[in-house]
Structures are given as structure tokens and as C-alpha cells.
Amino acid sequence: MTKAIFLIQTEDKKGLLASVVDFFYSKSFNILHCQQHTDSYEKRFFMRIELDASDMSMTRKELYDSFNDLATELGLEWSLHWTDYKMRVAILVSKTSHCLYDLISRQLEGELDCEIPLIISNHPDMEKVANQFRIPYYYFPVGDDKKAQEGKIRELLKRFDIDLVVLARYMQILSSEFTEEWKGKIINIHHAFLPAFQGANPYMRAYTRGVKMIGATAHYASEDLDQGPIIEQDVVRVNHELTPNGLKEVGKDCEKRVLASAVKAHLEHRIIIYRNRTIVFAVER
Amino acid sequence: MTKAIFLIQTEDKKGLLASVVDFFYSKSFNILHCQQHTDSYEKRFFMRIELDASDMSMTRKELYDSFNDLATELGLEWSLHWTDYKMRVAILVSKTSHCLYDLISRQLEGELDCEIPLIISNHPDMEKVANQFRIPYYYFPVGDDKKAQEGKIRELLKRFDIDLVVLARYMQILSSEFTEEWKGKIINIHHAFLPAFQGANPYMRAYTRGVKMIGATAHYASEDLDQGPIIEQDVVRVNHELTPNGLKEVGKDCEKRVLASAVKAHLEHRIIIYRNRTIVFAVER
Amino acid sequence: MTKAIFLIQTEDKKGLLASVVDFFYSKSFNILHCQQHTDSYEKRFFMRIELDASDMSMTRKELYDSFNDLATELGLEWSLHWTDYKMRVAILVSKTSHCLYDLISRQLEGELDCEIPLIISNHPDMEKVANQFRIPYYYFPVGDDKKAQEGKIRELLKRFDIDLVVLARYMQILSSEFTEEWKGKIINIHHAFLPAFQGANPYMRAYTRGVKMIGATAHYASEDLDQGPIIEQDVVRVNHELTPNGLKEVGKDCEKRVLASAVKAHLEHRIIIYRNRTIVFAVER
Amino acid sequence: MTKAIFLIQTEDKKGLLASVVDFFYSKSFNILHCQQHTDSYEKRFFMRIELDASDMSMTRKELYDSFNDLATELGLEWSLHWTDYKMRVAILVSKTSHCLYDLISRQLEGELDCEIPLIISNHPDMEKVANQFRIPYYYFPVGDDKKAQEGKIRELLKRFDIDLVVLARYMQILSSEFTEEWKGKIINIHHAFLPAFQGANPYMRAYTRGVKMIGATAHYASEDLDQGPIIEQDVVRVNHELTPNGLKEVGKDCEKRVLASAVKAHLEHRIIIYRNRTIVFAVER
């Protein structure tokens, strides 16, 4: 069944829920799922609505336009998504394969409902993985001119009509031009429980600090490294038995799980960003 | 702020959400929080609505009656709760103190918003705890006439206008008359991850089976022991280092946490029972 | 560095630790890691010792023989393993790919230190996965003669010098001849938190029972289905939002993680079986 | 059964385990439990040994002295503890009761094997809790002379022969003289997952940063606030539904559990401190 999904946010005020629900009801839509959250601290209204779009009495453009009128009147920030469109995801990697294997196999199993038309890397190592799954692999080494290398990537993302960029342990800082252009469309996995251990070598630092749990954080990329809105986090318990390398190995599982979960939430249009925070709606499956 | 909370369920059909939301909107209520869930497998509609009731333009009875008209028309099962009423909770215990201490201290800290007018037991041991907190303690030993002992308890529950009975490690099976009369109003804590290890001595059996996690389950009491609707569960990781007694000790924390969480959900009117399952709505705090 | 690993168990008695430690000390071995556990409930002594074997003053056979003398004297059950031998693992699957992808990718990343010389199935579906990784795939449909089909599998396991069989969602019951012959050498993943939901369709039954967590259990296969010694378990929190299919999807992650962790413990010689329980030693990494 | 517990650490070298084990064997001690860990990254040897001391052929002083000779020879740092001595614990609190109730009730249930001869506070609020349990309560307000207030506390700790100080949400920074004098004998609970959100108001900052899990950390107090060796940590999953106050409430459970677990490990002589890290041995129960 094709669905239309609306993501809505605005300043909280009386009657918002009724107005939105009424709009769809008056157009004879069947609301499959409606989730609403008011942040009482920020006085902010958030909503996700799933409509049955399989048998519409109007065109998609008509729905868009008529909702736009309501949104203007109520001052809503909103977006509309159709589940019969498969998002196109570019995966960026460096030298490690665990997140890459994980994302591809989840996509093949249907858990991640998207297309993966290309893999991009600053190293040649992962080409063999790409070949196993017959996904085109682009290798752009970072030489003296980092700007130029990034330019090639950005050009490729456009040429391939990419909707979402996943940094699956891509160990390069992106320029602010890149993160600005792709705001809310680049998901990064950081191998620590942010905001602990921002920056490089988190497992070494976790060892030195003697923490009893290590974690991973998936977040939208922002200009300041590791400062963007967090989508998902998880941790695993560790103890004194683990060396820095042991922590790293144990952490891999956490990284895979957290990254996949964040990508899935994005693909299913369950995330709204407000300031530096995310509202991640659960979804019935 | 006083709130009115509606819990609603019915067979799923088109327009339910809009009808209910419209009702409150037309009466000028401010909807603070609206949660709706459709179980697509059971084709069942569930809803929890929180209204601002601090400045109502009608009496509580008028609200009840007018919603009743709508509910009859739409075929809703529903209940209405007011947050300015403090529920009255009776705690039943046997010989162990950990859940009892935990519930009382959470109530004193304001985490459990209720009154605890009495503690009932089939053993004298916990009277000292009751005295520390100046809560009346009733000791009814189970002698030859179990029915009579239960009769005394049930009589007391009525006399004290009890709304909820919490079995905080009360090691007696209740008669079906009791569980039937108090259906959906008795919460029990079982010291295992149900449906594993139903019945007696779960920690011993967990040891023998060599499980790697032990758990606890809070559920509404039903005629068949440990078969009622589950409200909350949790587990802790264990290993071969633990003897049956060690498992028991480690499990206590889990029992406390799970029982308190279930009682809290009940007190906050976040639970709907359907068949042998519960819908437990999260609540903004 | 090549290591020799001893796994030892016996009835507990005074001086066992000193006797064993002294033996290695007197032969000038460097003990890298020594883990000892006494089950005070069962009065049973368990031990795992890792020796530096990179520069031995005796042959492997001499070490084996001289330790055998001590073991006979002390009444030890024991085994000796060398880390420069890569165990050979056969993966058996039916129609689902998630555990298969997971095991293969972990092996490729070096997390599972073994060889995977073949994949066997009762269905043709997974051949495409096997081909991606160039692993020989054997398809033996279960026809009228189940015994014959199993015979072919067992014959193949011998021909390929297999050390460990992993049932990665292989949906067939094995005969008692098979499980007896391969006792302690077949690891199965059950898609539930055993002993809850033994047998078929655990996710459907978890839904009906309304549990708030679902889990997975990796265990050695035994004659009685799902009754063998448990190696590893884990759970994930679920709620009313999940249909039986949703539970299934969410459970996949848990299955992968639990199965991989159990296989890893086996490959690293960290498991001792006693009765129907396992001692799983943690290992420094 | 009375036990003698040795905690030992030193630079790693060949034969340490055998030397120590032999020592006890030659003195006819029964080793109940022996745990040894070598940190291969730091090249450091750690050990915990539990002896049956119920029927000793020498005095405690003789055991101490003869082991001291061995320790000098081998260059061991070590300590010896007897399980028939109940450690004396002072609890310091400010205004919140949840950790206080939790520690006291665990002590009453026998989970924390210690005496709690007094409670000290910089506020009068918790006196009512102290009275419920008939524990002497000392109220020292922090006025202009912070040094003097701390002096009174330190004097009291000596007068009461205190072995361990537990800061159960005591919201004052201690002077370096205090933490130096009581090094390794003050346990603090920090209401965040360190090193994230060091310092004040961690729940508010967790909200602003939009984290998806919040945690708690128990650590030995050191001169630099929240920088001491971590003993135990745990986290709970949170989501956008929680306001800063909601996070605080949810975090309480985590704080209680983590603090109690750390105190228990200390009371059971399971912790060795090395640099800024702890080795926390698991113990059979």
C-alpha cells in the first residue's frame, strides 16, 4: 500500500491537532497512524501522519497545494513523502568493512528500503566488497587538494541523484560547504557515546579514562565535527579485560546497529530535526 | 494543572481519530497530549488523550455524559480519569522487604503519585518496616481456612476504598473470585522473565537450565497464576559465577524496578488491556 | 603468538589450582592468562589456562603426554587446543540470509578466526549469497527420506574435515544420531529467549502473550529440540507497536549478535560444558 | 565462613601466579577463589585471592608478616582484608532522598554488608529519613567558612572510625586535602555518563544536546571533580518525550543502582585501583 507521510512542526498552540486531522478527514483520507508530540519545555508541536494513498481522489500535486494553504495559515514547517519512492543512498567509507557489510546486507534483506547506487572512498581497500555486491565503487584519494577531492564527491552525488549520504566510518572531516548543502541529509557514525570522547581515537581515550561502557552515536553531520543532531545511540558494557584494541572490536557491533537504526529511521521519514535535537517517532511494523 | 485523561479502544474504522479529536475541539478543550495506536494485526484502535481540565466550561458530569453519547455512537470502550484524584494503593507482602521499601520510598519521593493507606501480609515480619513509615499493618496468617483469610483481606480493601492492589512478593495464590472482582486492579511481580519459569522457584530453575539472563515480569493478576496481561519486563545478564542464591540476589533489583514501573504506568492511566495484552503508552514528563 | 589453551574440569578438592599451576611453572611455561571458577553449589572446579607456546622446550606431544599423567592422577576432564589451528566451520541455512551474511562478514573482518569451507542448505535460496563470497554451496532438499538427506550432510561434514557446525536458522530438526555424534560441536540459534517459547513460531507466540521483550538463544544442539546447553542469550525491548512481523524483524539483530558471540566463544576455546550448563570464560582482548 | 582476601598488583613478570599460589598452598590454605588479570597493554599483573580462614594454623599477624616477606621479594603492592570485619560507612547527602533510601534499605536487607553509624549533611532536609531508621544525623551548614565545615566532617569521620565515605548526591566539592587524606575511600555518584557532562546540571545539558541515553557514574573522589577512577556506570534509553525534569526523574533509578553496585564492590574487596582506572573483579555469589 502506498502511503503519504507528513512531518510537521511549529510553535505549540491550541487546536493544531484538530485542524490537521480535520483537514485530512474532510478530504476523505484514511489516517493510518498519527503521532503527535508537544515538547512542553520548548513549547513546540511535532507531528507525523501516515495516510493511505492507494486510492486518492486527488492528484499528489493537489494534495500538496491544498495542504500548503493550511500550513501557511497555521505557520507549519512541513514535508511530504511518498512510500513508493525508493530513496537513493550513497555510502562513504575509508578502510573498515563492518558497517559497509552491515548496511548492504540489510538492504538486500529488505530491512533498509532504499537503493545503493554507489560507494565512494578515499582508499581503494573496500573495492573488493563493492565488487562482491556489484555496486559501482569510486576511489578519490585525498591528496594535496582536499577541496578538489570533495568537489568530485559532491559532483557524483548530484549526478547519481542521491538523497542521503551515509558516512560508514569515513574518516575525513567534511567542509562546511558540504555539510551546509547536505544539511539533514548526511548521517555519520561516531564510535563513542557522544558527547564523551568527541574527535579522534575514542577507544584509546575510553581505555585511559577507564570507562565501564563504550558506545556509538549516529548523528546528522554538521559543520562542527560530531556536534550535529543525534539520531541514535547505544552502549555495551565492558570491563578491565579489554585493551584499547579489544574495546575497538567490541565497539564494532554497537556501531553497526546504531548506524543501521538511524538510517532506517531516516528512510522511513520518522525524524524531525529541531535546533540541535531530533524527534524520532517509533513506527508500527 | 488538573488533567482529564481518556483511555479509549474499539474496532478500527475510518475517521475514529477525527471524530474524537473534533469532539474535544468543539467543546473548546485544549488537548495536551494525544496518543493513538492501531494494531494492524488485530484491527483494533487504541487512544489516550490528555486534556487541560483546569478551566472547564462544563461540569465533570456533563463532560462524562456528552462523551458517553459519542462513545455509544462510535462503539467505544472507554474510561475517564482525573489527575487531582490520588489513587489509594494497598501493598500485600510476605517476608521479603526489597519491593516494599522500594515502593514506599518512591511514593515518598513523589515518583509514585498515590496514597498507601495500608500494608497487608500473611506473615508478621514486615511490620517493622510498616512502623518505620507509620503505615497501618494488617497481619492475616493463612491457616486452615484460606478462604476466610482472603475474605478478611477483601473486606479490608473495601473498607479502605482501595483502587489498586500491589502484590509486592506476596507468595500466595489468589482465588478466582478475588482476581475476577479486582480484574485489572491487581498488579503482581513474578521473579522471572515470563513465560519462562512460570510458577515456583524460578531462580533455582534458571540456574539448572543455565540461562545467561534472568528477569522479572509485572502483570495483572488473573485466575491462572502468572498468565495475566504483562505490563513490564526487564532482564539482567548473569553468568556461571552465580549460584541459585546469587541469581536471587541479583534478581531483586530487577524485580523492584519492573514492579515500580508497572505501578507507575497504572497510576498515570497509561495502560489499556486488550485480550491478554497491554498497550502501555509512554508519557511525556 | 601461538598459544596453548587448556580447558579443565573436575570435582572440587583442595590444592587443584596449585597443582595445575605448578605443573606449568615447573616446565618453564609462561602462563598468559589463568581463569578458575569453582561452582560452590555443584562443588565443581573449572579452569582455563592460556600458555605462551611460541618457544617451547618440548614437543606438543610431550606436553600432551606429561599433562595427561597429571590429569589421570588428579582425575581431570580436559582438552588442549592450539591457536595456530584454524577451525573449519560448516554453516547450515534454510531460507533467511541475515545470520549467514553476518557470520561470513565477521569471518572476513577477522572477528571470527576460522575457515568456512562450505554452506549446506535444504533450500536453493541462499546459493546467491554463497556465490558472492565464493563459498561452495550444497543443496540437499528434504524429500521423503529425511534420514538420507541427513546422511548426505554428515558425509559432507566428514569429507570437509569440519570441526564445528553452525545452524544459522536451519529450520530442520536433527536426528539424535546426528546430535549425539556431533555433541558439543553443533551450535544452534533459537529465535526466542529460551526456555520461553520453545519450538515453532516464537515471534507469533510472543505477540499473543504480549511480552515486552523478545530475545534469542544460542545453544549446543541436543536430542531434545531447544534443550541443549545455553551459550549466549540476549533480548531487545519491544512494545505494543510491533505486529508479529515487526517482532520478527526486530528480533533478527538479536539473533545475529547472539549467534556470532556464541560461535566466537567456541572458536576461542572459552566454553566448558557441565551437565546442561556452560561455563563461558571471558577473554582478554 | 571467615575469609581472608588478598588484593595484589605489580609489574607483570613470569611466574608471579605460581609463586603466590604456592605460598598459600605451602601454608596449607584452601584457596576458595582465585582471579588473575594481566593487562597486556600496561604490562601489569592484578590478582584477587579468597582463602578459607576459618581454621588457620597461624595467627593473622603471622600470615600478614610471612606474606609481607614474599611481597617484598616479588615487589607486590597488596592489601589483606578479613570478612568478619564489618566496614563502617558514613553517608553524606544534601537534599535528595533516593540514593539514601536505597543504600539504607539494601544494608537492612543484608545486600550491603556494613554498618552505617551516621549520616552527614549540609542541609537539614534528610533528618526525617535518618530518624525513620534511627541513624544519627549531623547537620553542618556550609556558611562563609567552608574549610571549617569540612573540618567538622573530617573530625566526625575519625571519631566514628569510618572506613568508607559515600557521597549519595552530596552537592559540595571537597577540598584536595580531604580527597587526598581519604584517597580510594570516598565513592561519589555523578548523575551522568562520564566523561560526558562533567560538572553541574548534567540532565539539563543532556536535554539540550539531545542525547538518546542518560547515565550515571560511580567513581572514587579525586581532587579534580568527576575525574577519579570510575567503578561502575550504567545508562537508560530516553527519547524526545522527556523534558529536563523527566530526564532527572528517569535518571534516579540509574543513580541508585550504580552507586549501590560500586559500594558493594568496595565492601567486598573486589576493586584494585591502578592509575586512573579500576579493576573490578566479579565475585561468585
Side-chain angles (χ1 to χ4, degrees), chain A residues 102-139:
Chain A
D102 191 67
L103 290 170
I104 297 173
S105 62
R106 286 177 199 265
Q107 189 257 0
L108 289 170
E109 288 159 28
E111 190 184 324
L112 295 179
D113 187 23
C114 63
E115 291 179 7
I116 302 176
L118 83 166
I119 296 168
I120 304 173
S121 182
N122 56 333
H123 289 285
D125 310 56
M126 291 298 105
E127 182 158 18
K128 62 178 195 303
V129 177
N131 288 346
Q132 280 174 331
F133 298 97
R134 293 183 193 162
I135 302 174
Y137 186 84
Y138 291 81
Y139 162 42

Side-chain angles (χ1 to χ4, degrees), chain B residues 12-285:
Chain B
D12 190 31
K13 54 182 167 282
K14 214 167 158 171
L16 280 170
L17 178 64
S19 304
V20 174
V21 166
D22 259 10
F23 172 85
F24 294 115
Y25 192 55
S26 70
K27 309 279 185 217
S28 299
F29 277 100
N30 191 15
I31 296 177
L32 298 168
H33 205 55
C34 168
Q35 290 161 291
Q36 175 264 328
H37 166 62
T38 306
D39 188 321
S40 59
Y41 186 79
E42 300 269 17
K43 313 255 177 270
R44 189 91 187 161
F45 175 94
F46 302 95
M47 195 172 188
R48 182 183 186 273
I49 285 200
E50 265 185 42
L51 303 177
D52 183 348
S54 49
D55 193 27
M56 284 170 58
S57 60
M58 59 176 78
T59 67
R60 294 187 175 193
K61 191 173 178 319
E62 282 166 359
L63 175 60
Y64 185 94
D65 288 345
S66 61
F67 190 82
N68 200 29
D69 294 345
L70 179 75
T72 307
E73 188 192 319
L74 296 173
L76 310 180
E77 288 178 42
W78 65 290
S79 61
L80 168 54
H81 310 272
W82 302 92
T83 58
D84 56 3
Y85 174 73
K86 256 192 209 303
M87 290 183 81
R88 297 169 60 81
V89 177
I91 303 179
L92 270 66
V93 292
S94 287
K95 288 177 159 188
T96 53
S97 60
H98 59 286
C99 285
L100 182 59
Y101 268 126
D102 192 66
L103 291 170
I104 296 173
S105 61
R106 285 177 200 266
Q107 188 257 0
L108 288 171
E109 288 160 27
E111 191 183 326
L112 296 179
D113 188 22
C114 64
E115 290 179 7
I116 303 177
L118 83 167
I119 296 167
I120 304 173
S121 182
N122 57 333
H123 289 286
D125 309 56
M126 290 299 106
E127 182 158 20
K128 64 177 194 301
V129 177
N131 287 346
Q132 280 174 330
F133 297 96
R134 295 188 190 157
I135 302 173
Y137 187 82
Y138 291 81
Y139 162 42
F140 299 130
V142 178
D144 297 340
D145 190 350
K146 223 194 131 172
K147 205 107 196 171
Q149 190 255 8
E150 214 180 58
K152 284 178 199 164
I153 294 174
R154 292 165 70 186
E155 191 273 327
L156 214 55
L157 297 177
K158 268 187 196 147
R159 179 141 58 87
F160 274 79
D161 282 324
I162 294 304
D163 299 295
L164 175 69
V165 176
V166 177
L167 308 180
R169 303 297 310 275
Y170 180 68
M171 310 306 278
Q172 292 291 321
I173 297 176
L174 306 183
S175 71
S176 58
E177 288 81 19
F178 196 168
T179 55
E180 201 50 47
E181 184 192 14
W182 284 83
K183 198 169 183 175
K185 291 177 180 176
I186 304 177
I187 296 178
N188 183 42
I189 179 73
H190 182 75
H191 42 318
F193 187 79
L194 291 176
F197 308 125
Q198 281 176 220
N201 287 327
Y203 290 124
M204 186 66 223
R205 287 152 67 209
Y207 173 84
T208 309
R209 185 64 188 90
V211 291
K212 300 299 184 189
M213 304 186 108
I214 54 166
T217 304
H219 61 96
Y220 288 111
S222 66
E223 189 178 354
D224 293 315
L225 187 66
D226 304 333
Q227 291 284 359
I230 292 170
I231 306 168
E232 173 66 328
Q233 302 192 287
D234 207 355
V235 295
V236 271
R237 192 165 282 279
V238 296
N239 69 9
H240 57 266
E241 300 261 343
L242 296 169
T243 61
N245 266 330
L247 293 176
K248 196 172 166 179
E249 193 187 310
V250 166
K252 279 178 174 181
D253 249 12
C254 207
E255 295 169 24
K256 290 195 287 193
R257 209 160 61 232
V258 165
L259 179 57
S261 170
V263 170
K264 188 173 175 64
H266 186 98
L267 295 176
E268 296 175 350
H269 314 293
R270 296 194 275 114
I271 310 176
I272 299 179
I273 302 174
Y274 177 63
R275 293 194 171 160
N276 206 35
R277 311 175 69 232
T278 60
I279 283 77
V280 182
F281 292 104
V283 80
E284 201 206 331
R285 297 190 224 191

Side-chain angles (χ1 to χ4, degrees), chain A residues 27-223:
Chain A
K27 310 278 187 218
S28 298
F29 277 99
N30 192 13
I31 296 176
L32 298 168
H33 205 54
C34 168
Q35 290 163 290
Q36 175 264 327
H37 166 62
T38 306
D39 189 320
S40 59
Y41 185 81
E42 301 270 15
K43 312 257 176 269
R44 189 92 188 160
F45 176 95
F46 302 95
M47 196 172 186
R48 181 183 187 273
I49 285 200
E50 265 186 44
L51 304 177
D52 182 349
S54 50
D55 192 26
M56 283 170 58
S57 61
M58 58 177 80
T59 66
R60 293 188 177 194
K61 189 173 179 321
E62 281 165 359
L63 175 60
Y64 186 94
D65 289 344
S66 62
F67 190 81
N68 199 29
D69 294 344
L70 180 74
T72 307
E73 187 192 322
L74 296 174
L76 310 180
E77 288 178 41
W78 65 289
S79 61
L80 168 55
H81 311 271
W82 301 92
T83 59
D84 56 3
Y85 173 73
K86 258 193 209 301
M87 289 183 82
R88 296 169 60 80
V89 177
I91 303 180
L92 271 65
V93 291
S94 288
K95 289 178 160 187
T96 54
S97 60
H98 59 284
C99 285
L100 181 60
Y101 268 126
D102 191 67
L103 290 170
I104 297 173
S105 62
R106 286 177 199 265
Q107 189 257 0
L108 289 170
E109 288 159 28
E111 190 184 324
L112 295 179
D113 187 23
C114 63
E115 291 179 7
I116 302 176
L118 83 166
I119 296 168
I120 304 173
S121 182
N122 56 333
H123 289 285
D125 310 56
M126 291 298 105
E127 182 158 18
K128 62 178 195 303
V129 177
N131 288 346
Q132 280 174 331
F133 298 97
R134 293 183 193 162
I135 302 174
Y137 186 84
Y138 291 81
Y139 162 42
F140 298 130
V142 178
D144 297 340
D145 192 349
K146 225 193 129 174
K147 205 107 197 171
Q149 190 254 10
E150 212 179 60
K152 286 178 198 162
I153 295 175
R154 291 165 70 185
E155 191 274 327
L156 214 55
L157 298 178
K158 269 188 199 148
R159 179 143 56 88
F160 274 80
D161 282 323
I162 294 303
D163 299 295
L164 175 69
V165 176
V166 177
L167 308 180
R169 303 297 310 274
Y170 180 67
M171 310 308 276
Q172 292 291 320
I173 296 176
L174 306 184
S175 71
S176 57
E177 287 80 21
F178 196 168
T179 56
E180 201 51 46
E181 185 191 15
W182 285 82
K183 198 169 183 177
K185 291 176 180 176
I186 305 177
I187 295 178
N188 183 43
I189 180 72
H190 182 75
H191 42 319
F193 186 79
L194 290 176
F197 308 124
Q198 281 175 220
N201 288 325
Y203 290 124
M204 186 64 222
R205 288 152 66 209
Y207 173 82
T208 309
R209 185 64 189 89
V211 292
K212 300 300 183 186
M213 306 187 106
I214 55 167
T217 304
H219 61 97
Y220 287 113
S222 65
E223 188 180 352

Side-chain angles (χ1 to χ4, degrees), chain A residues 233-279:
Chain A
Q233 303 190 286
D234 206 355
V235 296
V236 271
R237 192 165 282 278
V238 297
N239 68 11
H240 56 266
E241 301 261 342
L242 296 168
T243 61
N245 266 331
L247 293 176
K248 196 172 166 178
E249 194 188 306
V250 166
K252 280 177 173 183
D253 250 10
C254 207
E255 295 169 25
K256 290 195 286 193
R257 207 159 66 232
V258 165
L259 179 57
S261 169
V263 171
K264 188 172 175 66
H266 186 96
L267 295 176
E268 294 174 352
H269 313 294
R270 296 193 275 112
I271 309 177
I272 299 179
I273 302 175
Y274 177 63
R275 294 194 170 159
N276 205 35
R277 312 174 68 231
T278 61
I279 283 76

Side-chain angles (χ1 to χ4, degrees), chain D residues 3-7 24 49 51 60-61 63-65 67 78-82 269:
Chain D
K3 299 174 189 173
I5 295 169
F6 283 82
L7 294 174
F24 295 115
I49 287 202
L51 304 177
R60 294 188 175 191
K61 190 175 178 318
L63 175 60
Y64 185 95
D65 289 344
F67 190 82
W78 64 289
S79 60
L80 168 55
H81 310 272
W82 302 92
H269 314 292

